[in-house]
Amino acid sequence: MAIYDIHENFLQNTEKGLTTCAVFCDLSKAFDTLHHEMLLWKLEHIYGIRVLPHKLLTSYLQDRQQYTVVGGYRSTTQGISLGVPQSSSLGPLLFALYGNDLPQASNLTPTLFADDTLLTIARANSANLQNGVNNELKKVDEWMRYNKLSLNYSKITHMLLNSNLSQSCNFNVKINDNKIKHTTCTEYFGVYIDQHLSWTVNMHNLE
């Protein structure tokens, strides 16, 4: 459904004569860095989870311990103050609730699926598009920092759809003076999306 939604969004913008800038975000160790106090605050004040259910989730998150075994040797036990248990049924749900207010942080259109985040914006003029995406990405970066999450700038890419080559070469996307790499094709949930919305790459991979 996430792939279908973004593909339809791209097509609708193209039919309107708009150029879409899609920013494929990458978070650094997203599940491992969720701030417990911030998550519990959101569960209570945003989602209305209070009293006994809130105490149960507090008990689930806090006072966890971990250790490492290498070559038969066990490390000392350390407390865990960040993150949600991975490979658990609650982990992805808690992460989704943690980041569910990201759409209110900027005017970018988000597609959220676990820790995969796609942000899009469309404009008729390439200069307005560049200014718009850079200004809105500042807001997203501020939201990430406030929520104790980190964008991996080196792995973030952006793609222009319904644009010519000259626009792509002169189009610059930055976050905190970090230039975001431009791509013409990227893999998203196992499906290759290119700037022409062609399925050619996917068909070649089936051969």
Side-chain angles (χ1 to χ4, degrees), residues 24 157 159 183-188 191-195:
F24 297 85
T157 60
M159 182 189 301
T183 184
T184 58
C185 182
T186 191
E187 185 179 4
Y188 189 68
V191 175
Y192 288 93
I193 301 174
D194 67 34
Q195 63 181 358

Side-chain angles (χ1 to χ4, degrees), residues 112-124:
L112 308 175
F113 192 93
D115 58 338
D116 286 294
T117 301
L118 170 65
L119 304 170
T120 62
I121 185 173
R123 294 286 188 272

Side-chain angles (χ1 to χ4, degrees), residues 147-166:
N147 286 274
K148 317 297 183 183
L149 296 173
S150 300
L151 288 170
N152 189 342
Y153 303 125
S154 63
K155 291 186 177 181
I156 300 174
T157 60
H158 80 274
M159 182 189 301
L160 295 176
L161 297 101
N162 188 31
S163 63
N164 57 44
L165 183 61
S166 62

